[in-house]
Amino acid sequence: MPTPLPSRPGTVRSIGGFTVVDLVIVLILGILATIAAVGYTQVTDHATTSASAAQPRQLAETVPAAAPSDSAPLLDGALATSALEEPHGMQINDPLAAAAPWAPLSTAGTSDDAALADSTPAPAGEPTPADEPARARTAFGSMWVWDNSLTPDQDNRGTGYAAADPQTLVAFARQNNLSQVHIAAPWVSDEGPIAAWMDETTTALHDAGFEVGVLGGDPGWLDDPSLAVTWTLDAISTRPVDYVELSLEPWTLPSWNTDRVGTVERWEATMDAVKAALPTGVKLALDAPYWLATTPAPDGGTLFDAVLERADALSIVTFVDHAADFDGIIALSAPARTAAGAAGIPYMVGLETDTPAVAGGAAFTFYDDGGDALVREAELVGEALAGDPLYGGVDVEHYRAWRSLLGMS
């Protein structure tokens, strides 16, 4: 065993193989490590506590408590600055807002308890989230059907849309819980193959429990109301028809701007002629754009008054692709709905599903928004108007475009 060397004065003493300096350094490092650990724990606890306290406030500032509420009162005066028009006379204030329909925010950020509740199966007999689209379809009341299943070779008035055969129409109307269907009747619809199709289609729908209307109109009839009467009587014929859905649209005539007084008089005379010709039990339903209720009539009141004085039922045409906000379906239709309520006239609210090219722009149709958007916004309208006994649901323009929107042939 080696003999340890004698220490010299001023030399650090070795203890157990370590010098005193070594031990001092180890001790200092241990103290510093302890201090660092305590500080890290305090900083972490503080950060966690701060984040937990701030989170509710941050969520409250970024996530609305509920979907927009019924904004109908906002409509008063909203049309004063209206500028855009589409073929059916739709007018809105802000095309950019109209082109971006309101949609609820995602449920990201909800608590674990809420997520657990969402995943809990519904009691037997109650609808589940998967049933929501089907439930929302109760918001629909009717639809325009402009097509028929005849080919042009069979009848030159045929549109060749196979899905317009009677039984497919009945199945679609049932699927969407409709109460009415408007069937377009071409000129002289009581003759030729189209007459057989009209007979079979109206009978099938009527037997299935739907109210059936014959649909048509031409601004040119204003020059000769007898043409409107002839079309009406031919369309009714001996079929089970509950109402005539008349769509004249005089505002599409050049004279609407050059001779408003005379055009309105001819429009009223044409509606009067059709109403007088209707047999007992057949009602007159009129298509009328919402803005008529805020457009002054030449002799006082509004142009909507001329409609209310003659209609047994209404479709308030409100071709906009969102329900809420000052330029949405609920707000824009408010004056017309109020006037219809005062007159005691039942009504539906018409929405568009055809292409933007036909509708006059994407802001006026659900074509580019999809079927889910149509269901969602129609249900929002239904929820807002649930307390109105005169409201009969959404009237969809039109059958073929609606099927296309849903991805159906």
Side-chain angles (χ1 to χ4, degrees):
M1 181 176 192
T3 303
L5 295 176
S7 61
R8 291 177 296 174
T11 300
V12 176
R13 186 179 298 275
S14 174
I15 302 174
F18 295 93
T19 66
V20 174
V21 173
D22 292 334
L23 294 174
V24 171
I25 291 173
V26 171
L27 180 61
I28 292 172
L29 290 175
I31 294 172
L32 292 175
T34 301
I35 294 173
V38 173
Y40 174 81
T41 301
Q42 292 176 339
V43 170
T44 302
D45 290 345
H46 175 72
T48 303
T49 302
S50 299
S52 299
Q55 188 176 16
R57 179 178 179 83
Q58 291 167 352
L59 290 176
E61 292 174 346
T62 58
V63 181
S69 61
D70 183 350
S71 54
L74 297 177
L75 180 69
D76 294 341
L79 301 181
T81 58
S82 297
L84 282 182
E85 295 189 8
E86 61 99 40
H88 291 271
M90 295 298 94
Q91 299 177 348
I92 59 171
N93 289 31
D94 185 356
L96 295 179
W102 173 86
L105 297 178
S106 70
T107 56
T110 55
S111 67
D112 291 340
D113 289 343
L116 180 61
D118 290 341
S119 64
T120 302
E126 292 188 12
T128 64
D131 297 323
E132 286 301 321
R135 251 190 328 144
R137 285 174 180 158
T138 59
F140 300 119
S142 188
M143 64 179 175
W144 286 272
V145 179
W146 291 107
D147 289 281
N148 57 65
S149 59
L150 299 178
T151 66
D153 291 339
Q154 294 173 304
D155 192 304
N156 60 9
R157 295 162 292 181
T159 65
Y161 186 51
D165 71 277
Q167 295 310 314
T168 304
L169 275 167
V170 168
F172 188 86
R174 281 177 173 161
Q175 178 186 2
N176 292 281
N177 295 328
L178 304 184
S179 59
Q180 298 179 349
V181 181
H182 325 313
I183 302 295
W187 188 252
V188 194
S189 62
D190 61 341
E191 296 182 6
I194 196 71
W197 179 86
M198 288 288 299
D199 291 344
E200 186 179 355
T201 300
T202 55
T203 299
L205 286 164
H206 201 269
D207 289 348
F210 300 99
E211 286 192 45
V212 181
V214 287
L215 165 66
D218 189 328
W221 293 350
L222 271 64
D223 293 328
D224 186 355
S226 68
L227 295 176
V229 172
T230 298
W231 168 84
T232 299
L233 297 179
D234 289 347
I236 294 172
S237 188
T238 58
R239 298 165 187 141
V241 173
D242 299 292
Y243 59 95
V244 171
E245 187 80 13
L246 192 61
S247 183
L248 293 172
E249 300 190 0
W251 41 87
T252 64
L253 295 170
S255 62
W256 186 256
N257 296 317
T258 60
D259 180 19
R260 177 70 59 84
V261 173
T263 304
V264 169
E265 289 177 349
R266 291 183 290 127
W267 175 40
E268 293 175 338
T270 304
M271 291 188 288
D272 287 338
V274 170
K275 189 173 181 67
L278 294 178
T280 302
V282 178
K283 297 175 292 186
L284 178 62
L286 297 173
D287 294 343
Y290 69 88
W291 53 263
L292 289 179
T294 57
T295 302
D299 57 352
T302 71
L303 291 176
F304 200 61
D305 295 337
V307 176
L308 293 176
E309 290 169 5
R310 295 161 175 85
D312 298 307
L314 292 169
S315 180
I316 300 174
V317 179
T318 315
F319 289 174
V320 182
D321 66 358
H322 57 289
D325 298 329
F326 72 96
D327 59 353
I329 300 160
I330 298 167
L332 293 178
S333 65
R337 291 188 286 106
T338 299
I345 308 297
Y347 68 91
M348 294 189 184
V349 174
L351 304 183
E352 178 69 277
T353 60
D354 215 327
T355 66
V358 172
F364 306 113
T365 177
F366 283 92
Y367 177 88
D368 56 328
D369 301 307
D372 289 344
L374 175 64
V375 169
R376 182 187 66 234
E377 302 305 304
E379 178 147 310
L380 287 176
V381 174
E383 290 172 356
L385 307 185
D388 187 347
L390 295 175
Y391 176 62
V394 159
D395 195 357
V396 180
E397 161 74 11
H398 56 95
Y399 174 59
R400 186 172 190 166
W402 191 2
R403 286 179 62 91
S404 177
L405 188 72
L406 296 174
M408 305 171 75
S409 62

